[in-house]
Amino acid sequence: MKAGLQEINELGGVWGSLVLNNRGEVIVNAAPAGLNQDALANLTNQAVDLLSSAVESLPGLTETVIHYSQKKLFILDLKQVVLLVICTPSVDLSLLRMTVNVVVTNWGADPKIQKQLKDHYVERL
Amino acid sequence: MAEVLKGNLAQLSLLDILRMLSFGRRSGRLDIRQGGKTGEIYLERGNIVHAVTGTQLGEKGVYTLMGWLEGDFSFTPDVNVPDHSINTTTEQLMLEASRQAEQWEDIKDVLSSTDAVFNISPSGSTSTVSLKPIEWQVLAQVNGERSVVEIGEILELHEFEVAKIIYSLTTAGLLHEVTGTRPSFREIVDESFFVQLNEIFTEVMGPLGPVIIEDEIRLLGEDRAAFPQDRAAELVERISLEISDSAKRAKFQKEMVSVLRG
């Protein structure tokens, strides 16, 4: 999975990406090493909380983008896990969505990754 | 006071945000900013109780804000409500807003934003068109310079009403959005991009490929000869959604992402 995240990270305006379980715990981390761990935990919990409330209000929603003044968070619900991409405000969201779709489609076709995702599944709180 | 939710209306519509806040029984103020314009919507335990934007208050204010297709929003919890200008129940308000939002979805196909400028189409309609007085008044204000918002201000009409009329006049072939109102210094895509796009998309969709591409360029309100580089990925993404087979769509996206990234 890390190779997929690195592919996403190569896109202009992407700062880092992570795969989280449904409770916001990090499964695979391709975020910059210098990132403060408390800030990261805060960010991942916030991402999963926002996604959960959005999905609860809008069944069928799979993607949320949160715009902050200094960054954008792209949050994708993969059901078993959550993909979080941390971007700069200038990221091209169309290009990001397509790149993510290519990566996620590859994951779907890879039995090893599917098993890994299944093993990390936890129910949302 | 901490802002708990911030974002952009291009990604999360105002209706979706209000649904979320209402469902979560939140109290506070939702600030919305679009260019130099601002609006505020106040909630008390999930109920929308007050709204204001410019001179518009209450329900009218909510519906006007609902028409803002772009802009930033932020929600500040637990703010005192300065007034109670809304008498309609939140349920009824959301229902009407939802109906308008559905119409906005159609309108967005021909109207890139409420700052868009339209002009009379030189070719006109191919069939007889009858206009209501209000449609004629809007048509009379269209001059290739005034935006939808400005026409609304002149006629003292709600932006949504003007947008709806402009939508119907455009689909009837009487109007077209003026391209080139965007800054002219935008980088333009190379023709080789379209050659590759045509080739890769036609491989998936067959002979209809180029037709779909032309349609999407038109729906974006752009011109192939001067297509802006910063909308190339958006065009490719929209085109890719025409591919129903998800594996084929991902393959197309992969090839085009590689083209876009050079």
Side-chain angles (χ1 to χ4, degrees), chain A residues 10 67 93-94 97 101, chain B residues 6 11 234 237 253 261:
Chain A
E10 281 169 19
H67 298 234
L93 281 172
S94 291
R97 263 195 295 267
N101 187 45
Chain B
K6 266 182 153 185
Q11 299 303 324
E234 186 186 350
E237 188 187 22
Q253 288 180 337
R261 293 172 68 177

Side-chain angles (χ1 to χ4, degrees), chain A residues 5-52:
Chain A
L5 294 185
Q6 274 155 355
E7 200 178 320
I8 295 169
N9 289 357
E10 281 169 19
L11 199 66
V14 172
W15 200 53
S17 53
L18 304 103
V19 175
L20 315 171
N21 72 10
N22 284 327
R23 291 183 189 166
E25 293 153 349
V26 178
I27 300 170
V28 187
N29 185 350
L35 190 68
N36 175 299
Q37 289 309 298
D38 288 342
L40 183 65
N42 187 25
L43 203 66
T44 56
N45 287 328
Q46 206 180 40
V48 171
D49 282 353
L50 279 165
L51 182 71
S52 299

Side-chain angles (χ1 to χ4, degrees), chain B residues 84-154:
Chain B
H84 287 74
S85 58
I86 292 176
N87 301 314
T88 315
T89 65
T90 296
E91 204 180 13
Q92 283 174 311
L93 200 66
M94 301 282 254
L95 206 66
E96 174 58 21
S98 170
R99 193 185 63 78
Q100 289 194 6
E102 273 174 31
Q103 289 182 293
W104 270 119
E105 281 306 310
D106 292 332
I107 291 170
K108 273 200 280 187
D109 285 343
V110 296
L111 200 130
S112 58
S113 86
T114 47
D115 290 322
V117 173
F118 282 76
N119 210 345
I120 310 285
S121 174
S123 50
S125 173
T126 50
S127 57
T128 308
V129 180
S130 60
L131 298 177
K132 294 176 193 158
I134 188 70
E135 290 172 331
W136 177 254
Q137 285 173 31
V138 170
L139 186 64
Q141 295 298 330
V142 171
N143 64 354
E145 287 177 8
R146 292 187 191 115
S147 69
V148 174
V149 175
E150 286 163 345
I151 293 173
E153 283 167 1
I154 292 168

Side-chain angles (χ1 to χ4, degrees), chain A:
Chain A
M1 272 195 281
K2 198 146 188 174
L5 294 185
Q6 274 155 355
E7 200 178 320
I8 295 169
N9 289 357
E10 281 169 19
L11 199 66
V14 172
W15 200 53
S17 53
L18 304 103
V19 175
L20 315 171
N21 72 10
N22 284 327
R23 291 183 189 166
E25 293 153 349
V26 178
I27 300 170
V28 187
N29 185 350
L35 190 68
N36 175 299
Q37 289 309 298
D38 288 342
L40 183 65
N42 187 25
L43 203 66
T44 56
N45 287 328
Q46 206 180 40
V48 171
D49 282 353
L50 279 165
L51 182 71
S52 299
S53 52
V55 166
E56 206 169 337
S57 319
L58 305 163
L61 180 119
T62 55
E63 174 199 308
T64 305
V65 182
I66 309 294
H67 298 234
Y68 295 91
S69 54
Q70 302 294 319
K71 61 180 178 290
K72 268 184 194 167
L73 292 186
F74 177 89
I75 312 162
L76 184 68
D77 185 7
L78 298 174
K79 305 298 172 201
Q80 288 163 316
V81 293
V82 174
L83 173 67
L84 170 66
V85 185
I86 310 164
C87 320
T88 62
S90 63
V91 71
D92 185 328
L93 281 172
S94 291
L95 197 54
L96 173 63
R97 263 195 295 267
M98 289 192 287
T99 306
V100 165
N101 187 45
V102 170
V103 168
V104 169
T105 304
N106 286 342
W107 286 353
D110 186 330
K112 259 191 197 168
I113 292 179
Q114 281 307 299
K115 186 181 178 308
Q116 216 178 336
L117 294 177
K118 207 174 160 187
D119 291 346
H120 284 287
Y121 174 74
V122 286
E123 279 213 33
R124 260 178 209 146
L125 289 175

Side-chain angles (χ1 to χ4, degrees), chain B residues 153-254:
Chain B
E153 283 167 1
I154 292 168
L155 298 174
E156 293 185 357
L157 281 175
H158 192 291
E159 276 174 25
F160 177 68
E161 289 305 319
V162 179
K164 232 173 33 172
I165 292 168
I166 289 196
Y167 170 78
S168 68
L169 295 175
T170 306
T171 49
L174 298 181
L175 299 180
H176 69 97
E177 190 172 336
V178 177
T179 52
T181 49
R182 295 189 176 94
S184 56
F185 51 79
R186 283 167 101 192
E187 205 179 321
I188 303 300
V189 295
D190 199 83
E191 180 54 28
S192 67
F193 163 78
F194 281 112
V195 171
Q196 290 180 82
L197 177 61
N198 262 328
E199 201 174 290
I200 297 169
F201 192 55
T202 302
E203 209 174 288
V204 189
M205 295 297 278
L208 267 180
V211 180
I212 296 170
I213 294 170
E214 290 305 322
D215 274 354
E216 291 295 341
I217 293 172
R218 192 177 46 80
L219 288 172
L220 285 172
E222 299 291 353
D223 181 359
R224 181 180 168 135
F227 196 89
Q229 180 70 49
D230 59 10
R231 298 195 83 186
E234 186 186 350
L235 174 67
V236 171
E237 188 187 22
R238 286 174 68 120
I239 288 169
S240 74
L241 298 177
E242 296 291 326
I243 306 170
S244 50
D245 183 303
S246 57
K248 284 183 183 171
R249 188 189 313 137
K251 184 176 177 283
F252 168 76
Q253 288 180 337
K254 187 177 181 178

